[in-house]
Amino acid sequence: MAANPSIFDGIKLPEDRFELHALKWFVPDKGMDFTAYAKKMISFIKHKKPVLLGVSFGGFLVQEMSNHMDTLKVIAVSCVKTSSELPKRMLFAKYTKVHKLLPTGLVNNVELLAKYAFGERATHRLELYERYLSVRDKEYIDWAIDQIVGWEQDVPPKNLVHIHGDRDAVFPIKKINGCKVVKNGTHTMIIHRARWFNEHLPAIILEEGSSI
């Protein structure tokens, strides 16, 4: 959520077979729902029937985008594919609205955010935040969290491939079924396990009927 396209810098696919294009998050218009946001993001795509790949909140987004455009394949990484796979704490937040009490204003103070979220001993993550967190807008963060917590989907896209790490702390794999599991993969494995993706994505993209 709010990460810039540099999280994909480690992804290197054969240039004679694939052409990569990165999409950037934008701050939604006031009152914009997730469907309208997805449709506006689609307007930035110039190729017909693309493969969409999204990570975390981006995985939610590419699934929604696929409802409004033709895609060759949809690849969702480190996210969920149905609302029943959301962790209990997010389902709790959906009904209690407790997530609206989160101090999202800290997004403009990354150092304080790292200390608040992970404690003094985990401030080494600060460098990752500084490098990858690009949309530091409180309204966007509030909106994005609300979209995740309130997300509703019972049936995933037919051409979806779900890739998930068995050590994902944001969306624990114990609630997730039918995915390609990356051993020791964390929520940020698109960065730290880029080699796995480089080895497996070409076959995943080109394989017929590989939906999960």
Side-chain angles (χ1 to χ4, degrees), residues 75-101:
I75 303 174
V77 179
S78 301
C79 70
V80 300
K81 58 187 174 295
T82 64
S83 49
S84 63
E85 293 181 341
L86 288 168
K88 289 182 179 179
R89 63 182 180 275
M90 293 186 185
L91 295 175
F92 175 78
K94 176 180 180 180
Y95 295 107
T96 63
K97 307 300 181 184
V98 69
H99 61 288
K100 295 185 179 296
L101 300 177

Side-chain angles (χ1 to χ4, degrees), residues 119-131:
E120 292 288 343
R121 290 185 296 177
T123 53
H124 63 277
R125 301 192 186 199
L126 177 61
E127 183 180 347
L128 289 178
Y129 277 86
E130 290 283 9
R131 179 175 178 183

Side-chain angles (χ1 to χ4, degrees), residues 45-161:
I45 297 176
K46 306 304 179 184
H47 295 75
K48 294 183 178 180
K49 208 169 184 180
V51 173
L52 300 179
L53 187 152
V55 175
S56 191
F57 186 40
F60 290 73
L61 180 61
V62 294
Q63 292 180 70
E64 179 62 29
M65 291 168 65
S66 72
N67 293 328
H68 309 286
M69 68 181 300
D70 290 330
T71 57
L72 180 66
K73 194 159 293 185
V74 180
I75 303 174
V77 179
S78 301
C79 70
V80 300
K81 58 187 174 295
T82 64
S83 49
S84 63
E85 293 181 341
L86 288 168
K88 289 182 179 179
R89 63 182 180 275
M90 293 186 185
L91 295 175
F92 175 78
K94 176 180 180 180
Y95 295 107
T96 63
K97 307 300 181 184
V98 69
H99 61 288
K100 295 185 179 296
L101 300 177
L102 292 170
T104 50
L106 291 179
V107 72
N108 291 309
N109 188 329
V110 180
E111 183 174 0
L112 184 59
L113 175 63
K115 291 180 179 179
Y116 177 88
F118 300 106
E120 292 288 343
R121 290 185 296 177
T123 53
H124 63 277
R125 301 192 186 199
L126 177 61
E127 183 180 347
L128 289 178
Y129 277 86
E130 290 283 9
R131 179 175 178 183
Y132 297 114
L133 192 64
S134 62
V135 185
R136 301 184 186 183
D137 182 279
K138 184 184 185 303
E139 290 187 9
Y140 165 81
I141 299 297
D142 289 339
W143 175 85
I145 293 174
D146 208 41
Q147 302 312 308
I148 294 172
V149 169
W151 192 62
E152 294 186 4
Q153 177 168 278
D154 296 325
V155 180
K158 292 182 179 179
N159 60 347
L160 174 70
V161 177

Side-chain angles (χ1 to χ4, degrees), residues 4-21:
N4 59 54
S6 63
I7 65 170
F8 299 109
D9 283 353
I11 305 301
K12 308 294 182 184
L13 303 184
E15 294 183 358
D16 60 332
R17 306 181 76 181
F18 303 100
E19 187 176 330
L20 304 182
H21 296 273

Side-chain angles (χ1 to χ4, degrees), residues 24-44:
K24 296 181 180 180
W25 294 109
F26 58 89
V27 178
D29 299 329
K30 190 171 183 178
M32 177 177 277
D33 63 17
F34 199 42
T35 296
Y37 191 94
K39 289 181 177 179
K40 185 171 181 178
M41 187 66 82
I42 289 171
S43 70
F44 301 126

